[in-house]
Amino acid sequence: MAAQERVYSQEEIAARLAAELPHWRFENGWIRRKFKTHGWKGTLMVVNTVGHLAEAAWHHPDIAASYAFVEVKLMTHTAKGVTDKDFELARKIEEVVSWRPGKDGGALEGTPESDQRFAYIKYD
């Protein structure tokens, strides 16, 4: 039998989100993040990225997708609350989806911000 996972209180969740994941919020038992996209192409890229990370982590969020946004909701079902698994996966999702090549220097330029034909994520 697996060890019981620590479930965080609402106050602890709020403090950790403020410190570690400021674009995430706690609502109705879940930590949540809405990623705004420029359209269907960006939405599919975010959904596929989150899906890959979730499957690799073996920890699966609820995902709502529309034409220009993706909402990710995390909660550990077996623990009936938010655990370290949720914070860890949220950090990885945030890191990968929000990555902006070209902002750190280096050889990768990133998508052209001046040409909306190539825009796909609305960065915070």
Side-chain angles (χ1 to χ4, degrees):
M1 181 173 185
Q4 179 97 13
E5 295 175 275
R6 180 184 189 285
V7 174
Y8 286 87
S9 70
Q10 288 186 25
E11 295 76 21
E12 291 171 317
I13 293 167
R16 284 194 68 176
L17 291 178
E20 301 170 28
L21 295 158
H23 298 293
W24 291 69
R25 70 188 195 283
F26 179 70
E27 183 181 298
N28 297 327
W30 303 79
I31 59 172
R32 300 164 180 247
R33 167 76 148 103
K34 184 181 272 189
F35 293 95
K36 296 177 183 169
T37 68
H38 281 276
W40 191 238
K41 174 179 68 173
T43 294
L44 292 177
M45 287 182 184
V46 172
V47 168
N48 285 322
T49 299
V50 171
H52 167 72
L53 295 171
E55 191 62 19
W58 199 243
H59 188 59
H60 303 96
D62 280 17
I63 299 173
S66 187
Y67 178 78
F69 75 85
V70 176
E71 185 176 36
V72 179
K73 297 178 1 182
L74 286 161
M75 183 250 285
T76 304
H77 298 283
T78 56
K80 297 181 177 67
V82 176
T83 69
D84 286 322
K85 288 180 178 181
D86 303 299
F87 287 111
E88 192 170 328
L89 184 54
R91 278 192 304 275
K92 182 53 74 176
I93 291 168
E94 189 71 21
E95 173 189 337
V96 175
V97 171
S98 299
W99 178 54
R100 294 184 75 178
K103 297 297 180 190
D104 300 329
L108 298 172
E109 297 174 25
T111 55
E113 291 182 25
S114 60
D115 190 336
Q116 291 301 300
R117 292 176 301 162
F118 304 111
Y120 69 98
I121 299 291
K122 293 186 178 182
Y123 294 101
D124 296 313

